[in-house]
Amino acid sequence: MSTENIRVCPVERAGSLDSRIRRWLQNPRKILGSYIKEGMDVLEVGCGPGFFTLDIAWMVGKNGRVVAVDLQEGMLQKVREKIKASGTELNIILHKSDEDKIGVSGNFDFVFLFYMVHEVADKEAFFRELVSLLKDNGQIYIVELPLHVSKKTFEEAIKIASNAGFTVAKRPKRFPDKAVILKKT
Ligand SMILES: C[S@@+](CC[C@H](N)C(=O)[O-])C[C@H]1O[C@@H](n2cnc3c(N)ncnc32)[C@H](O)[C@@H]1O
């Protein structure tokens, strides 16, 4: 397995992940609108400063739930501040994971991994844990950076996921990003 670019995005870069220009280029509701429905249980791993998190919570509504996970407490704090600033009741649970364990429980409809899989050191353990967290008819949406993550590294991650119990359901076109939807085998 290639180990290129295994480096966690620091909290100091949170601002660039949550900018207006990014919202214009990567509108969360456009990206997720055909996958996330009202009432769903969604797991977002590597939520960072929560660029997608609040939109996901609005999309699932009061009958759904978002569990937003990150390795770094500083990132989760940014999400906490955003939730507070929104002044809205949102069904978001924040969880600090360990490097080698997500550490949540649940049976999720949808798992969202945006620009984060390349930062996971032990991808085998990561995908094995995700198999146990996803509903049988659930889906995982992985999006990776265009230049940062080579095609080879992206395909290697999909292979690891396949060995853990996933299969490719779809390859959404997200130029210049790389994207895949996985389902349980
Ligand atoms: C490049 S940022 C992307 C954040 C967010 N998904 C976005 O698109 O704005 C990657 C995030 O994944 C987190 N991360 C990296 N490895 C992780 C792991 N094994 N478990 C949970 N979070 C992780 C990092 O702390 C960082 O906040």
Side-chain angles (χ1 to χ4, degrees), residues 22-32 51-52:
R22 186 177 181 201
R23 181 159 278 274
W24 180 68
L25 292 168
Q26 296 184 331
N27 184 308
R29 298 203 195 197
K30 279 194 188 151
I31 292 173
L32 291 165
F51 176 73
F52 291 97

Side-chain angles (χ1 to χ4, degrees), residues 8-9 17 22 26 44-52 69-72 75 97-102 113-116 118-121 126 145:
V8 173
C9 175
L17 289 170
R22 186 177 181 201
Q26 296 184 331
E44 183 190 14
V45 189
C47 61
F51 176 73
F52 291 97
V69 176
D70 205 283
L71 207 53
Q72 302 179 83
M75 290 295 194
S97 57
D98 292 332
E99 200 168 309
D100 55 358
K101 193 160 176 58
I102 303 167
L113 310 172
F114 202 98
Y115 288 179
M116 71 79 60
H118 64 281
E119 294 188 7
V120 176
F126 183 72
L145 296 145

Side-chain angles (χ1 to χ4, degrees), residues 20-154:
R20 275 204 195 160
I21 182 138
R22 186 177 181 201
R23 181 159 278 274
W24 180 68
L25 292 168
Q26 296 184 331
N27 184 308
R29 298 203 195 197
K30 279 194 188 151
I31 292 173
L32 291 165
S34 47
Y35 303 103
I36 296 183
K37 304 290 171 216
E38 213 267 322
M40 275 188 169
D41 238 6
V42 176
L43 174 64
E44 183 190 14
V45 189
C47 61
F51 176 73
F52 291 97
T53 314
L54 277 72
D55 283 278
I56 297 173
W58 281 312
M59 292 166 89
V60 298
K62 60 179 184 323
N63 296 319
R65 177 178 78 129
V66 187
V67 178
V69 176
D70 205 283
L71 207 53
Q72 302 179 83
E73 181 52 40
M75 290 295 194
L76 295 175
Q77 186 52 32
K78 302 261 179 213
V79 189
R80 232 171 255 125
E81 286 160 15
K82 280 183 72 167
I83 296 169
K84 197 168 171 209
S86 79
T88 334
E89 281 269 321
L90 294 167
N91 232 347
I92 301 173
I93 294 163
L94 298 177
H95 173 82
K96 192 198 157 307
S97 57
D98 292 332
E99 200 168 309
D100 55 358
K101 193 160 176 58
I102 303 167
V104 297
S105 55
N107 199 17
F108 294 91
D109 297 288
F110 189 77
V111 176
F112 189 49
L113 310 172
F114 202 98
Y115 288 179
M116 71 79 60
V117 170
H118 64 281
E119 294 188 7
V120 176
D122 188 345
K123 293 182 183 53
E124 282 178 36
F126 183 72
F127 284 113
R128 270 201 310 273
E129 192 176 355
L130 286 176
V131 171
S132 67
L133 292 171
L134 190 69
K135 280 185 184 166
D136 284 347
N137 60 349
Q139 291 185 316
I140 297 192
Y141 191 3
I142 301 176
V143 181
E144 283 286 39
L145 296 145
L147 299 174
H148 217 67
V149 177
S150 67
K151 188 172 186 312
K152 181 169 172 272
T153 302
F154 187 64

Side-chain angles (χ1 to χ4, degrees), residues 164-185:
F166 293 107
T167 185
V168 173
K170 195 175 161 193
R171 299 236 184 204
K173 295 220 181 324
R174 274 219 46 81
F175 185 81
D177 292 334
K178 297 174 177 69
V180 68
I181 300 275
L182 303 176
K183 61 179 185 179
K184 280 195 186 183
T185 306

